[in-house]
């Protein structure tokens, strides 16, 4: 398979983790987001949503990181990134969506560029916006994780799941903008447990061939 990726893309980072956890080799195809390569005609033919990542399976080009991870789960069930019970699956999806739908879209590249360029916000204004949505979302994630008996060594039980594939890249983003992470001890404990695993470590931005 071929993964269209950018080292700093947290959505691509989620998929890199899932591929590594499942032991699947992939070829990387780099898309430089700050240069706007994702908005070009060539990438538009790969992904009409003009977003990274895309997974080219040979049979189809898949986009949206959680849809890609669910596809990998169905085609390569072991090790499982979703629990087998219906309630557990709903919980892991809920935690994943909390990151992917409630936090990440507020702070992705085009939202921040719009604040800067169209709305004339200063770097300070943009950073304040960024940290606000990180704090809003991570406090909710922390409340979920700290209050559930289903939280274990990882977000759900003692093996990594799709929720961890979402949690870890979001913490990397938060650190990049110097967000205060002290209010989220459960989240950070899980982050540390994930980063002790090779599959997470190898997927991190600084270890990608296109890292700058
Ligand atoms: N919901 C999408 C989000 C994809 C996304 O926003 N990717 C970012 C990089 S992390 C991107 O391509 N941004 C380009 C832009 O905002 O113009 C997913 O989970 O795949």
């Amino acid at each position: 398979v071929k993964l269209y990726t950018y080292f700093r893309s947290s959505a691509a980072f989620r998929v890199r983790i899932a591929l590594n956890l499942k032991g699947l080799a992939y070829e990387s195809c780099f898309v430089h987001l700050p240069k706007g390569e994702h908005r070009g005609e060539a990438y538009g033919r790969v992904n009409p949503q003009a977003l990274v990542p895309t997974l080219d399976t040979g049979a189809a080009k898949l986009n949206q990181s959680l849809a890609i991870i669910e596809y990998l789960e169905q085609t390569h069930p072991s090790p499982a990134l979703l629990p087998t019970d219906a309630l557990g699956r709903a919980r892991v999806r809920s935690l994943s969506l909390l990151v992917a739908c409630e936090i990440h879209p507020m702070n992705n590249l085009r939202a921040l560029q719009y604040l800067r360029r169209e709305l004339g916000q200063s770097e300070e204004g943009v950073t304040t916006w960024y940290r606000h949505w990180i704090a809003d979302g991570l406090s909710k994630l922390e409340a979920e994780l700290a209050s559930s008996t289903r939280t274990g060594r990882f977000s759900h039980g003692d093996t990594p799941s799709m929720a961890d594939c979402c949690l870890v890249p979001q913490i990397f983003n938060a650190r990049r903008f110097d967000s205060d992470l002290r209010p989220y001890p459960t989240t950070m404990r899980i982050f540390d447990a994930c980063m002790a695993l090779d599959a997470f470590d190898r997927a991190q931005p600084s270890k990608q061939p296109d890292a700058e």
Side-chain angles (χ1 to χ4, degrees):
V1 294
K2 191 195 279 187
L3 180 69
Y4 291 80
T5 177
Y6 175 63
F7 74 106
R8 261 195 199 123
S9 159
S10 60
F13 189 177
R14 293 172 200 150
V15 175
R16 295 196 299 259
I17 296 167
L19 287 162
N20 290 347
L21 283 169
K22 288 186 177 290
L24 300 172
Y26 62 94
E27 181 194 336
S28 296
C29 190
F30 303 111
V31 184
H32 200 285
L33 296 183
K35 284 186 188 157
E37 282 178 5
H38 57 302
R39 295 194 200 99
E41 212 181 301
Y43 190 66
R45 284 192 291 273
V46 173
N47 185 339
Q49 297 184 27
L51 296 170
V52 164
T54 302
L55 187 79
D56 187 348
T57 69
K61 293 181 181 66
L62 305 177
N63 52 42
Q64 288 291 341
S65 61
L66 298 192
I68 295 171
I69 294 173
E70 295 256 6
Y71 164 81
L72 294 174
E73 182 72 0
Q74 267 193 288
T75 51
H76 299 85
S78 180
L81 299 182
L82 283 167
T84 48
D85 65 299
L87 288 176
R89 289 169 90 84
R91 178 169 184 266
V92 167
R93 288 184 174 124
S94 167
L95 295 172
S96 304
L97 291 167
L98 173 51
V99 172
C101 295
E102 309 303 329
I103 307 178
H104 179 257
M106 307 301 285
N107 288 342
N108 72 18
L109 181 67
R110 65 193 182 288
L112 301 183
Q113 283 181 342
Y114 190 79
L115 285 172
R116 254 183 226 116
R117 295 173 185 171
E118 269 73 13
L119 301 184
Q121 290 298 313
S122 61
E123 268 323 297
E124 195 191 343
V126 173
T127 302
T128 302
W129 166 280
Y130 192 100
R131 290 190 188 140
H132 170 76
W133 293 113
I134 289 283
D136 178 78
L138 288 186
S139 60
K140 290 165 183 167
L141 183 64
E142 178 68 19
E144 288 277 12
L145 294 171
S147 67
S148 172
T149 54
R150 303 211 71 179
T151 302
R153 180 166 166 71
F154 297 99
S155 296
H156 191 82
D158 293 328
T159 54
S161 69
M162 181 164 77
D164 301 302
C165 296
C166 294
L167 179 153
V168 164
Q170 192 58 63
I171 297 300
F172 269 82
N173 277 4
R175 279 190 168 159
R176 207 176 135 219
F177 279 77
D178 287 330
S179 293
D180 180 9
L181 297 172
R182 284 170 300 184
Y184 322 115
T186 315
T187 308
M188 294 311 295
R189 171 184 66 68
I190 293 167
F191 172 82
D192 290 339
C194 289
M195 289 309 296
L197 300 180
D198 178 65
F200 285 82
D201 180 55
R202 267 191 297 128
Q204 67 172 286
S206 64
K207 299 206 171 166
Q208 303 314 299
D210 61 331
E212 287 161 8

